Amino acid sequence: MPLVYIVAALIAVGIIGWFINRRITAPGMARNLVNIVLGLIVVGIGLWLINTYVPMAGSIKAILNIVVVVATCVGILQQVGLWAQVVRLWGNLTNHRLES
């Protein structure tokens, strides 16, 4: 029975996303924020489904969770336009050489 609720929730998220992106006139950043929140809901439900119903070793499940969280963080940073600054900061930190 919980799977029926999950499918209904995913359908509701899809309808809300379609309605907001097609029918409602909103500023770009507000629409972007709503899409990020809806994407986080979908990713969370998907990860919960995998963790609950897919049998796998605990270590593989932990690696999968880390990969999904990192990929989600990268996606959010790209959506809000901060990814280039993070890459530049990382490059500055790792390529810093002390002059003698």
Side-chain angles (χ1 to χ4, degrees), residues 20-82:
I20 288 173
N21 286 319
R22 298 285 185 212
R23 301 289 182 197
I24 295 178
T25 57
M29 195 59 185
R31 183 177 293 158
N32 197 11
L33 183 65
V34 170
N35 286 331
I36 289 171
V37 170
L38 293 176
L40 286 173
I41 291 170
V42 170
V43 168
I45 289 173
L47 194 58
W48 177 79
L49 282 172
I50 291 171
N51 285 331
T52 304
Y53 294 110
V54 176
M56 66 178 84
S59 59
I60 296 173
K61 197 176 286 191
I63 292 170
L64 176 69
N65 288 338
I66 291 169
V67 168
V68 169
V69 168
V70 168
T72 303
C73 290
V74 168
I76 290 172
L77 287 171
Q78 286 177 342
Q79 285 290 323
V80 297
L82 294 175

Side-chain angles (χ1 to χ4, degrees), residues 2-18 38-49:
L3 288 177
V4 174
Y5 295 137
I6 293 169
V7 170
L10 288 174
I11 290 172
V13 167
I15 291 171
I16 291 169
W18 174 82
L38 293 176
L40 286 173
I41 291 170
V42 170
V43 168
I45 289 173
L47 194 58
W48 177 79
L49 282 172

